[in-house]
Amino acid sequence: MNVQELIDTARTLVAGNKGLLAMDESNPTCNKRFARLGIPQTEEARRSYRELIVTTPGLGEFISGVILYDETIRQSRKDGTPFVKVITDAGIMPGIKVDTGAKDMAGHTGEKITEGLDGLRTRLVEYSQMGARFTKWRAVITISDTIPSRGCIEANANALARYATLCQEAGLVPIVEPEVLMDGNHTLERCFEVTAEVLRAIFNQLYTQRVALECMILKPNMVLPGTDCPKQDSVEEVADATMTCLLRAVPAAVPGIAFLSGGQPYELASARLNAMNLRFETRMPWALTFSFSRAIQQPALEIWKGQQANAAAAQQALYHRARCNSAARLGQYRTEMENNVGSRSS
Ligand code: 13P
């Protein structure tokens, strides 16, 4: 592997005012979101929606990289231009999700283990030849009174680290994504404890499996109260808890942290990222940005509804969320920005 190239790629992905757009929903997840809005769950509908996203005018002003899915990296615009070319021409790096999903973990009721290591080395060669520059693997950790178990945390951390080493060997920058879910009635303090334990296990494994920390990006959850927790902490409390947790657990050699949104209301996701960048700007050793799917795409999908006539308005909504999150990445997001959908580059 060419280490300097990997370092340059990782740094470019989190540089300046930019973040990542995750559009790597598996077909079942994408279909579920389509079904809720009455959109047909066909390959053509998924292709057409992906075309809308990657052809959004000006997307490259705020987005450094997009994460694709196996089906999507092979798809093209209606006129035959491969998505990878459309994305690259827009000044955006294509990446690819390479895990094959979080499955029920044997012996661990209610917990998941992410699969996809078998044959990964060969798949990485193919993705790299198709133009991918970076990859993603997501581990899922659920909180209840009795879980996560040590077994689940360690197995997922080991898989993430083995995935990351294989990617670096193939010349691809791994995004390491441990997602502690928001589902449940747990408090912010409990999410803090679990996230800290998960991150410690992951960095131990990354070290043991010889992952170059300079050549990766961490994609964690924010530290949040569960969606059903009666106490919903303020934006500042969430920002402080998340940053305290990350400052303790994430080595300074990691070039960037790019959050998942995890189902947070999209305006809150922007406000929280903004508060972290504002309040901790001088104390952070890494770049702090976004790698959102729902918190960028959801309004656009709701406007599109599968109708070509709505495509331009949906693209405006997508552009708007990308712009808001880009501002948040710089600590310059204000809620008033939300009233100004549609105007390109002010
Ligand atoms: P969300 O931002 O919708 O959580 O998606 C991020 C992601 O890539 C999940 O794997």
Side-chain angles (χ1 to χ4, degrees):
M1 73 172 163
N2 181 335
V3 175
Q4 194 52 50
E5 253 176 47
L6 287 177
I7 293 176
D8 292 346
T9 301
R11 288 194 183 150
T12 306
L13 283 171
V14 295
N17 67 331
K18 295 189 186 177
L20 291 102
L21 166 60
M23 48 181 289
D24 60 335
E25 296 79 14
S26 63
N27 290 348
T29 301
C30 187
N31 287 344
K32 219 185 320 162
R33 292 183 190 161
F34 278 15
R36 249 182 249 137
L37 295 166
I39 302 167
Q41 293 112 65
T42 60
E43 181 181 352
E44 175 50 24
R46 292 192 297 272
R47 193 210 59 76
S48 171
Y49 176 58
R50 266 70 193 248
E51 171 163 348
L52 178 161
I53 295 179
V54 300
T55 58
T56 295
L59 196 62
E61 293 166 35
F62 310 119
I63 301 296
S64 57
V66 295
I67 314 174
L68 303 168
Y69 176 63
D70 185 71
E71 177 179 86
T72 324
I73 197 169
R74 301 169 196 279
Q75 286 175 323
S76 302
R77 223 165 52 183
K78 197 134 197 121
D79 69 5
T81 317
F83 282 167
V84 171
K85 178 164 169 30
V86 177
I87 292 162
T88 311
D89 288 352
I92 300 173
M93 281 195 246
I96 178 84
K97 170 226 219 30
V98 300
D99 67 69
T100 54
K103 309 286 162 60
D104 290 341
M105 185 169 171
H108 293 74
T109 308
E111 299 192 280
K112 303 270 186 201
I113 177 72
T114 301
E115 296 184 350
L117 286 171
D118 288 354
L120 181 57
R121 181 179 261 143
T122 318
R123 288 195 290 131
L124 292 176
V125 172
E126 189 195 5
Y127 288 139
S128 171
Q129 283 166 352
M130 291 170 92
R133 305 280 303 280
F134 65 98
T135 56
K136 189 195 96 167
W137 178 292
R138 171 175 177 254
V140 180
I141 305 290
T142 308
I143 299 184
S144 80
D145 291 345
T146 51
I147 55 174
S149 65
R150 194 71 215 154
C152 173
I153 293 174
E154 299 218 326
N156 275 295
N158 178 262
L160 271 169
R162 290 177 58 204
Y163 136 82
T165 325
L166 280 163
C167 292
Q168 291 184 343
E169 177 192 85
L172 297 161
V173 169
I175 297 184
V176 171
E177 180 182 10
E179 176 170 7
V180 177
L181 295 176
M182 288 164 61
D183 305 340
N185 61 1
H186 55 270
T187 59
L188 171 123
E189 289 74 20
R190 172 96 170 112
C191 179
F192 183 106
E193 262 171 38
V194 171
T195 304
E197 189 185 351
V198 167
L199 291 175
R200 270 198 301 273
I202 284 171
F203 280 99
N204 275 334
Q205 276 295 322
L206 291 172
Y207 171 74
T208 308
Q209 302 298 330
R210 304 184 179 158
V211 174
L213 298 183
E214 291 80 1
C215 309
M216 62 161 276
I217 288 166
L218 179 72
K219 175 162 172 167
N221 52 284
M222 296 184 191
V223 173
L224 302 170
T227 16
D228 299 327
C229 178
K231 179 169 181 244
Q232 290 294 317
D233 305 80
S234 69
V235 166
E236 289 72 23
E237 284 164 335
V238 165
D240 290 358
T242 305
M243 291 307 295
T244 304
C245 187
L246 293 173
L247 284 167
R248 286 182 191 166
V250 185
V254 173
I257 297 179
F259 289 107
L260 60 95
S261 60
Q264 300 174 61
Y266 47 80
E267 294 177 7
L268 258 185
S270 303
R272 287 163 171 163
L273 175 62
N274 188 64
M276 289 181 226
N277 274 304
L278 254 187
R279 293 159 78 84
F280 289 85
E281 188 194 354
T282 57
R283 293 179 51 197
M284 284 189 286
W286 2 257
L288 194 75
T289 188
F290 57 91
S291 176
F292 296 160
S293 161
R294 281 163 287 179
I296 297 181
Q297 287 187 44
Q298 196 57 32
L301 181 60
E302 284 167 14
I303 291 170
W304 179 59
K305 288 203 188 74
Q307 308 291 326
Q308 186 50 34
N310 301 334
Q315 287 183 327
Q316 278 190 348
L318 191 86
Y319 179 86
H320 174 69
R321 287 259 54 83
R323 183 174 57 176
C324 287
N325 288 312
S326 166
R329 189 249 170 280
L330 299 173
Q332 294 170 1
Y333 169 78
R334 298 174 316 284
T335 41
E336 302 84 73
M337 286 179 73
E338 299 294 351
N339 305 327
N340 198 16
V341 188
S343 55
R344 251 193 84 187
S345 276
S346 42

